[in-house]
Amino acid sequence: MKQLLILILMFVSFQAFGQVTGTVYDGETNETLPGASVRVKGTTVGVSTDMTGKYSLQASIGDILLFSFVGYESREITVTDLSLDVELFPSTNILNEVVVVGYGVQKKSDITGSVVSITADKLKERPQVNLTQSLQGSMAGLSVNVRGSDAEGTSSFLMIRGQNSITASNTPLIILDGVPFSGALSEINSSDIESFEILKDASSTAIYGSRGANGVILITTKKGIKGRPVITYDAYYRMDMIAHIPDMMDGETFAAAKMEYGEPLSATEQRNLDNGDYTDWIDLATQNGGAAQHNLSIRGATDKVNYFVSAGINDVKGIAKEDMFKRASLRTNLEIKLTDWLRYGTNTQFGYYDRSGIQADFQGAFEMNPLGDAYNEDGTYTLITWEDAFYADNPLSPLYADSNNRTWRVSTNNYIELDLPFIEGLTYKLNTGYDFRNRFFQRYYGTNTQRGAEVGGELFYSHTYDIDWLVENIISYNKTFGKHTLFLTGLYSAQQKTWEFNSVEATGFSSDLLSYYQPGNSVSPLPGADYSKRSYISQMFRANYSYDSRYLFTFTVRRDGFSGFGENTKFGVFPSVALGWNITNEKFFKSITSLDFVSNLKLRLSYGENGNEAIAPYSTLPALSSHNYLDESYTPVLGYYPMQLGNPLLGWETSKSTNLGIDFSLWENRLSGLVDVYWTNTYDLLLDKSISPVNGTSSIRENIGQTHNNGIEFQLSSVNISRSDFVWRTDLNFTHYNTKIVHVGLTDEEGNYIDDIANEWFIGENIDVYYNYVMTGLWQQADFDNPDIPESLKTGNQPGFAMYLDGDDDGDIDVDDKRIIGRRIPKFSAGMTNSFKYKNFSFSFFLNSVIGIDSYNALLESTSISYRENTYNLDFWTPDHTNGTIPVNTPSSNSRGANFYEDASFVRLQDVTFGYSFDSNIIEKLKLSNAELYVNLKNMVTWTNWIGLDPEFIGSTSVQKAIPQTRSYLFGIRVSF
C-alpha cells in the first residue's frame, strides 16, 4: 500500500510540473509581442518571448506567472494548464506614457502643460480618407467643424480651444515629424501615423512662439520596431449613401405655392405639371459613392538601422457626381546609427493627388424649379431649364465641364543628431525640412454649358508651386543628478515659404474640340501671375526641471521674427512658465491609507504668451490695383488706384493665457483622466479700422481690440471590466469654451469703448453672432383688435404677416430694434467611445455631440423672387391654417427679412466598428503574425431637432445647401506577415 501511494504521488508530481508553453499577444491588435517578459513569481526563473511571441519555461501547476512588456499592463496568472496563451493590454496609466511635446519627448508624469493625445489604435477604429474627420469628438479642446461631404473630406476645419482672433486665422499649427506642415490633412496617409498630440496651453505651445497662439498639433509617423521585419497589408472598401435630404417642395406643391403667391405658371411648368413630370434636382446631382484604400508597409529595426516604409493608394468617388479624389503616397522613415555618437534620419513622403472633375451646383440643385426640364429631347443637359431661368444655370451643367486638377508633393524631414563628447547628456541636432508642391489646374466650360455658351467657351489654366524650407539648430542637455532632473533645449531656426502662381483666362473659341488645350485660339486671353514670400527667424530656450519626481518646473522663451510686419515690429518675444506637483509621490500622501485608491494625482499651473502673425504677406505695405481706361484718343491705357494703405506699425497679435489643470488615475489606473480650466486674453487684434475713403480705400489694418476666452475641459478613460477573455473600456471627453469681445478699438466722444455695429462686433458678446430683427410670431386677426398693441405697429400689416420685436418700445420697427439672436458657440461638445473585446471579437461605438448652438435656417426662408426658386416644404400661414409658422405666401409678408433660427444641437452615433482577429493556430498555419477583419459603419443615427440638411452644416446659405451628409458602410482587412 505504501509503494502504491508513492507511485501515485510521483505520477501527480510528474503531471503538475513540466514545460509551460504559450504565446503572448497584444490584447487590442492581436499581434504577438516579441521580447515580453515571463517569470515565475517568487523565483528567478524567467524567459523572454521569441520573435513570434512564443515562450517556454519550467513551472508547476499552481505557480503564478508574471507577464510584462514595456508600455503594457503587467498580469499575474495562475498556471492551471501547461499550455497558456496570454493577452497584454496597453497601459492605461496615462501619467507614465511617453508623449511628444515638441523638440523632444517627456513622460506624462513630468509634463506641466496641457497635452492630450490619441494613438494609432484609436485612429484605425475610425478609418477615413481625411484624418480631420477621424479626430472629430476624440479629444477635449479640439473642435472639428464639418461643412460638407465632398470626396476628399476637406469641407471641415480644426480649432483648438475656440476662437481668439476676430479676423486673423484661428487655424492651429501642424507639425509633422518635427517640421511645420501646411495644406490639407487628406494629403497625409492616416495609416502611417503613430501618434497625434495636441498642445493646448501657452506653456506647451510657447516653444513654437508666434505660430502657437491657436494651439499646436504634433503628428508623428511610424518608426521601426526592433525584431524581424513585419509586413502589413491594410485594405478596405467603403460604400457611401445619402444620410438625409430635407423635404423640399415637389412639382405639385411648388405650383400651388407659386399660384397662391399670384404668379402664373409658364408653358414649361404647366406642361410638366399636367404630365406629372417633376424634376428632383438633388437626386440627379448625386450618386452612390464609394472609396477603396490599399496600404502596404514594412517595418523593423536592428542595432544600427530603424526603418518604416509604406505605400498607399486611395480612390474615392463622392456622392456628388464628378466629385472624386485619388491619392497615392510613398513614405520612407529611416534612422541609421552611424557611430555610437552619431545618428542620421529621414522622414520622407511622396504624394500624388488627383482632384479632377467639377461637381454639380448644389445650391442650384436645392433652389432650382422642380417643374423645369433637366434634359433636352436628345438626352443632353438643358441650358435654360424653363422660360424664366435666364438668371440661373442648369445645376447639372458643370458636369459637362472638362477639368484636370493634379498635385505632386514631396515632404521630407532630414536630421543629423550627435552626442557631444565633452559633456555627458549634451546633444546637437541639425533638423531640416523641405516641402515642394506642384499643382496643375485646367478647366474648360464648353458651349454645351450655360456658362460657356454665354461667352463662346471659357478656359482657365493655372500652374502653382509652393516651396517651404526649414533649418533648425537644436542643442539639448538632459541629465539626472540624484533627485534632480534637468532637461534644457536651445533652438535657432530659419524658415521660408514661397508661393508662385501663373494663369491664363480666356473666352471666345471657334470650337470646343481642343478643350483647355487652346488658350492661343481665344479672342480675349487674359494672363495672370502672383507671387508671395514669407520668412521667419526664431530663437528659443526651454528649461525643464524636476525634483524627486514631485516638483516640476518649465520655463520657455521664444523670439520670433516675421517678414510680413513693419520694420520696427517684426520681432516678438513670447515667454511662459509652468509648475507641476506630483502629489502622490509625497510621503505624507502615501501614508494616508484612506487614499490608497488614488494611483496618481498631479496639479499643473501655467502662464504664457503667444503671438499670432496669421495675416498675408505685404499687409504693412501700400498696394495698388490695376484698372484699364481710355485716354483722350480712346486708346486703352493701364491705370492704377489705391487698394490698401500701408501701416509700418502693424505687429503681433498677442494672447496671454493661464491654465490650471489636474491629472489623476484611480484604483490602480482603472479610471484616469484630466481636467483643465483656462483663461485667455488676446490683445492688439489685427483688425480693419474704418477710415474716410478720401485716400481711395475705406479701411486700414491696425493692432486694435481685445478678446477674452475661458473654458473648461475634461477627459476620462476607464477600464470598466477586465477579465482574461473580456474587456470593456470607455473614453469620454467634454469641452466648453466662451469667447467674448472686450473691445474693438472704437470709442465715443468721451473715450469709452463702443460696439462696431457695422461689422456686428459687440462688447461682451461672442465674436460670431447673429444680429437681426426678431420675429416674435405672426399677426393674427385678434392682434388688430388688441388695444395694448400700438396702432403704428398695425399699420401696413395683415393677418399672417411677420410680427417683429419692438425692442426700444417706440412704436416703430427700425434698425434700432435689431437684436443679437442665439449663440454660434456651443454650450459644450462631448464625445464618448465604448470598446469591448471578447476573445477574438471586438466591438466599439462612438457618440459625438454638440449641444447649445443656434443657426439661422436658410431652408425656412420663403422665396424672395416670386417663386423662381424652390424651397423647403414650408408651413405657410393661411386663413384656414392660422397655426402656420411661416408668414403668409404673399409679397412683403416678411418685409424686414427676419431670418428663421433653430437649435442645431445634435447627438450622433458616428462610428460603429466590429472586428474579428483570427485564432493563433490559424495564423500560424498561414505563416502570419496577425489577421483581422473589420466592419465600420458611419453616421448611422443622428438625434436632432434641426430641420435641414445636417445640423453640422450651419452658417452661410451655400453651406446649408451643399453636398448632403453621407452614411457609410466599410469593410476592411488587416494582415501582418
Side-chain angles (χ1 to χ4, degrees):
M1 187 69 183
K2 182 177 180 181
Q3 288 80 2
L4 179 61
L5 181 60
I6 293 173
L7 288 173
I8 293 174
L9 290 174
M10 290 176 63
F11 180 77
V12 172
S13 299
F14 177 79
Q15 292 294 316
F17 183 82
Q19 201 75 10
V20 179
T21 61
T23 306
V24 180
Y25 296 92
D26 181 313
E28 291 187 349
T29 67
N30 207 41
E31 294 183 357
T32 59
L33 295 178
S37 174
V38 185
R39 185 169 59 86
V40 180
K41 187 174 182 178
T43 72
T44 59
V45 177
V47 296
S48 296
T49 56
D50 63 16
M51 300 305 298
T52 61
K54 296 183 181 299
Y55 72 93
S56 177
L57 84 167
Q58 291 290 122
S60 304
I61 299 297
D63 281 350
I64 298 175
L65 298 188
L66 303 178
F67 295 83
S68 61
F69 191 67
V70 176
Y72 288 73
E73 296 281 0
S74 299
R75 293 187 65 183
E76 295 184 5
I77 297 180
T78 301
V79 178
T80 58
D81 191 281
L82 297 183
S83 177
L84 182 61
D85 291 342
V86 175
E87 291 181 328
L88 297 183
F89 292 90
S91 173
T92 59
N93 186 357
I94 64 171
L95 297 178
N96 287 329
E97 293 176 358
V98 175
V99 296
V100 180
V101 292
Y103 305 115
V105 298
Q106 279 186 292
K107 290 194 305 180
K108 270 208 168 180
S109 59
D110 293 338
I111 290 176
T112 54
S114 180
V115 181
V116 293
S117 61
I118 186 171
T119 63
D121 290 336
K122 295 295 183 182
L123 290 176
K124 73 181 185 181
E125 291 180 359
R126 308 173 196 171
Q128 289 276 16
V129 174
N130 194 322
L131 175 63
T132 303
Q133 297 171 323
S134 299
L135 298 171
Q136 195 171 21
S138 60
M139 289 177 282
L142 176 67
S143 301
V144 180
N145 302 104
V146 177
R147 298 297 175 87
S149 296
D150 60 309
E152 188 179 354
T154 54
S155 298
S156 57
F157 61 94
L158 298 169
M159 278 200 309
I160 296 175
R161 290 188 165 179
Q163 183 178 357
N164 293 321
S165 180
I166 295 180
T167 59
S169 172
N170 289 279
T171 303
L173 173 66
I174 298 174
I175 303 294
L176 175 63
D177 288 327
V179 176
F181 178 87
S182 59
L185 288 180
S186 57
E187 296 187 357
I188 301 175
N189 187 348
S190 58
S191 296
D192 292 343
I193 294 175
E194 183 69 34
S195 65
F196 189 102
E197 276 85 20
I198 295 182
L199 313 183
K200 297 186 292 185
D201 70 322
S203 174
S204 301
T205 62
I207 55 172
Y208 293 105
S210 64
R211 288 161 288 172
N214 301 315
V216 180
I217 295 174
L218 302 179
I219 302 175
T220 305
T221 56
K222 294 176 180 177
K223 306 297 186 290
I225 298 176
K226 196 167 184 179
R228 67 176 182 84
V230 176
I231 301 174
T232 301
Y233 173 69
D234 181 354
Y236 68 69
Y237 177 74
R238 191 184 74 208
M239 297 180 294
D240 298 331
M241 286 166 272
I242 296 175
H244 172 66
I245 293 293
D247 183 18
M248 306 297 290
M249 286 185 175
D250 61 15
E252 183 178 359
T253 307
F254 179 87
K258 184 174 181 178
M259 289 185 289
E260 181 184 10
Y261 191 81
E263 288 287 325
L265 299 183
S266 69
T268 300
E269 291 175 311
Q270 188 65 58
R271 183 194 73 232
N272 288 333
L273 177 64
D274 294 340
N275 296 333
D277 293 334
Y278 309 146
T279 303
D280 187 339
W281 295 98
I282 299 175
D283 181 66
L284 294 177
T286 55
Q287 62 188 359
N288 287 333
Q293 174 177 288
H294 301 274
N295 284 295
L296 182 66
S297 68
I298 179 170
R299 64 192 304 190
T302 66
D303 292 336
K304 298 291 186 180
V305 180
N306 182 304
Y307 57 90
F308 172 79
V309 179
S310 74
I313 296 176
N314 288 81
D315 188 355
V316 187
K317 182 180 74 171
I319 62 169
K321 290 181 177 178
E322 292 300 313
D323 181 28
M324 54 83 71
F325 176 67
K326 295 181 180 179
R327 180 183 69 201
S329 63
L330 175 65
R331 169 169 290 278
T332 300
N333 292 349
L334 178 68
E335 184 173 88
I336 303 173
K337 187 176 182 181
L338 301 174
T339 69
D340 291 338
W341 51 271
L342 181 62
R343 294 166 295 281
Y344 164 76
T346 181
N347 303 293
T348 301
Q349 175 178 286
F350 301 92
Y352 166 76
Y353 314 98
D354 188 350
R355 302 174 173 93
S356 301
I358 299 178
Q359 65 200 33
D361 174 13
F362 271 84
Q363 182 167 341
F366 274 92
E367 296 176 352
M368 184 54 69
N369 186 341
L371 293 174
D373 290 330
Y375 300 99
N376 296 308
E377 292 183 1
D378 61 0
T380 58
Y381 292 129
T382 58
L383 300 184
I384 302 296
T385 61
W386 57 297
E387 288 82 356
D388 286 344
F390 58 87
Y391 67 93
D393 297 351
N394 184 332
L396 307 179
S397 180
L399 300 178
Y400 271 170
D402 296 332
S403 171
N404 178 25
N405 183 357
R406 299 178 182 180
T407 302
W408 291 262
R409 181 173 189 173
V410 57
S411 303
T412 181
N413 160 232
N414 295 272
Y415 60 89
I416 294 176
E417 188 172 15
L418 64 153
D419 300 324
L420 300 177
F422 44 87
I423 300 179
E424 184 182 356
L426 187 66
T427 62
Y428 168 77
K429 183 177 183 179
L430 176 64
N431 188 51
T432 67
Y434 184 82
D435 190 357
F436 176 75
R437 286 161 300 213
N438 192 19
R439 179 193 179 205
F440 286 95
F441 179 67
Q442 298 162 298
R443 183 188 65 207
Y444 183 76
Y445 286 96
T447 53
N448 57 348
T449 68
Q450 177 70 15
R451 182 168 173 173
E454 292 175 350
V455 293
E458 178 187 297
L459 175 151
F460 180 78
Y461 169 88
S462 69
H463 175 211
T464 309
Y465 76 82
D466 303 75
I467 296 177
D468 299 351
W469 60 260
L470 170 75
V471 177
E472 295 179 325
N473 295 275
I474 306 168
I475 189 164
S476 302
Y477 178 68
N478 201 336
K479 188 68 174 177
T480 298
F481 311 89
K483 294 183 178 181
H484 307 273
T485 299
L486 188 63
F487 178 29
L488 306 178
T489 306
L491 167 78
Y492 183 89
S493 74
Q495 183 183 0
Q496 189 174 95
K497 302 165 69 71
T498 305
W499 174 79
E500 184 168 333
F501 174 82
N502 297 280
S503 67
V504 175
E505 295 182 69
T507 57
F509 298 93
S510 59
S511 169
D512 296 332
L513 183 62
L514 296 178
S515 186
Y516 42 66
Y517 290 112
Q518 53 176 337
N521 297 339
S522 168
V523 298
S524 59
L526 178 64
D530 203 352
Y531 173 86
S532 71
K533 180 170 70 174
R534 58 175 74 202
S535 302
Y536 304 86
I537 292 180
S538 305
Q539 304 91 38
M540 185 274 293
F541 172 75
R542 178 180 63 192
N544 294 104
Y545 170 73
S546 170
Y547 175 74
D548 197 24
S549 296
R550 288 184 289 163
Y551 310 120
L552 314 171
F553 171 79
T554 300
F555 171 76
T556 306
V557 61
R558 177 155 175 154
R559 179 176 180 264
D560 276 306
F562 174 49
S563 62
F565 286 136
E567 191 65 31
N568 298 322
T569 56
K570 291 187 184 298
F571 286 90
V573 178
F574 308 102
S576 74
V577 63
L579 303 173
W581 181 22
N582 279 317
I583 302 176
T584 44
N585 290 343
E586 295 284 0
K587 292 181 180 179
F588 74 83
F589 190 88
K590 295 178 180 179
S591 65
I592 305 175
T593 56
S594 61
L595 296 178
D596 286 346
F597 68 95
V598 181
S599 307
N600 284 291
L601 182 64
K602 180 175 69 174
L603 294 180
R604 294 177 280 104
L605 176 64
S606 68
Y607 170 83
E609 300 180 9
N610 293 116
N612 188 356
E613 102 299 339
I615 59 172
Y618 319 115
S619 295
T620 62
L621 303 177
L624 300 175
S625 182
S626 62
H627 184 74
N628 294 335
Y629 67 97
L630 300 177
D631 63 11
E632 294 178 354
S633 61
Y634 297 99
T635 302
V637 179
L638 182 62
Y640 296 91
Y641 65 92
M643 183 181 68
Q644 172 183 290
L645 296 181
N647 182 4
L649 300 179
L650 196 65
W652 299 93
E653 186 176 283
T654 303
S655 295
K656 300 179 180 180
S657 181
T658 301
N659 190 98
L660 177 63
I662 180 172
D663 300 332
F664 62 89
S665 56
L666 312 174
W667 297 291
E668 297 183 353
N669 308 317
R670 293 291 293 270
L671 178 66
S672 59
L674 58 87
V675 180
D676 279 283
V677 292
Y678 62 90
W679 303 264
T680 300
N681 289 292
T682 302
Y683 303 87
D684 299 327
L685 301 176
L686 295 162
L687 294 178
D688 291 332
K689 180 180 180 180
S690 298
I691 60 173
S692 171
V694 66
N695 292 312
T697 179
S698 59
S699 66
I700 183 173
R701 183 161 294 176
E702 292 185 351
N703 289 109
I704 53 176
Q706 179 182 341
T707 63
H708 174 75
N709 182 12
N710 65 280
I712 182 171
E713 305 158 351
F714 72 76
Q715 194 158 307
L716 295 174
S717 296
S718 65
V719 182
N720 308 308
I721 299 176
S722 180
R723 297 175 181 169
S724 59
D725 58 357
F726 180 72
V727 177
W728 171 24
R729 298 171 183 268
T730 300
D731 296 294
L732 173 68
N733 67 80
F734 171 94
T735 300
H736 163 79
Y737 71 90
N738 199 22
T739 304
K740 294 185 176 181
I741 294 175
V742 178
H743 71 87
V744 290
L746 294 183
T747 58
D748 58 19
E749 295 179 353
E750 299 178 353
N752 300 313
Y753 289 120
I754 59 175
D755 300 330
D756 186 342
I757 297 177
N759 286 309
E760 299 185 0
W761 297 334
F762 301 95
I763 294 174
E765 300 292 340
N766 297 145
I767 290 175
D768 219 359
V769 299
Y770 296 106
Y771 180 67
N772 205 339
Y773 294 99
V774 180
M775 187 184 300
T776 58
L778 303 180
W779 284 92
Q780 305 291 343
Q781 184 59 54
D783 296 323
F784 292 92
D785 301 325
N786 187 345
D788 295 330
I789 299 178
E791 291 298 322
S792 58
L793 295 179
K794 300 175 184 177
T795 303
N797 282 306
Q798 300 175 21
F801 276 31
M803 180 181 289
Y804 306 105
L805 173 69
D806 182 15
D808 53 9
D809 292 325
D810 65 351
D812 187 28
I813 303 299
D814 52 28
V815 293
D816 294 332
D817 295 309
K818 285 187 174 183
R819 292 294 182 269
I820 295 171
I821 303 172
R823 54 180 293 145
R824 296 192 185 189
I825 297 176
K827 291 182 179 178
F828 70 89
S829 57
M832 182 178 70
T833 301
N834 280 278
S835 303
F836 305 86
K837 184 173 177 62
Y838 176 70
K839 293 184 177 180
N840 293 33
F841 296 91
S842 63
F843 167 70
S844 68
F845 67 89
F846 166 55
L847 291 170
N848 184 32
S849 64
V850 174
I851 305 298
I853 185 170
D854 300 302
S855 177
Y856 91 94
N857 194 329
L859 291 180
L860 293 184
E861 296 183 19
S862 55
T863 180
S864 60
I865 53 173
S866 304
Y867 277 89
R868 290 194 179 106
E869 292 181 0
N870 195 18
T871 187
Y872 185 76
N873 199 357
L874 298 171
D875 181 26
F876 287 113
W877 186 99
T878 68
D880 298 326
H881 180 53
T882 59
N883 292 328
T885 57
I886 304 299
V888 61
N889 186 21
T890 59
S892 303
S893 61
N894 184 9
S895 59
R896 294 293 180 179
N899 291 329
F900 295 81
Y901 298 88
E902 285 191 311
D903 181 9
S905 303
F906 69 90
V907 177
R908 174 171 287 153
L909 180 58
Q910 190 149 318
D911 276 89
V912 178
T913 304
F914 302 87
Y916 175 76
S917 298
F918 288 90
D919 287 327
S920 57
N921 57 343
I922 298 177
I923 292 175
E924 290 177 2
K925 290 179 181 178
L926 297 175
K927 307 298 182 183
L928 303 175
S929 60
N930 178 60
E932 179 184 0
L933 298 176
Y934 61 96
V935 177
N936 177 255
L937 313 177
K938 295 184 184 301
N939 297 333
M940 299 307 296
V941 183
T942 301
W943 296 275
T944 182
N945 292 324
W946 175 258
I947 297 175
L949 195 59
D950 191 271
E952 285 192 274
F953 297 3
I954 60 175
S956 64
T957 300
S958 61
V959 170
Q960 295 187 22
K961 299 177 180 180
I963 301 175
Q965 181 66 271
T966 60
R967 179 173 293 119
S968 302
Y969 304 86
L970 183 147
F971 307 88
I973 182 172
R974 298 186 186 98
V975 179
S976 295
F977 303 87

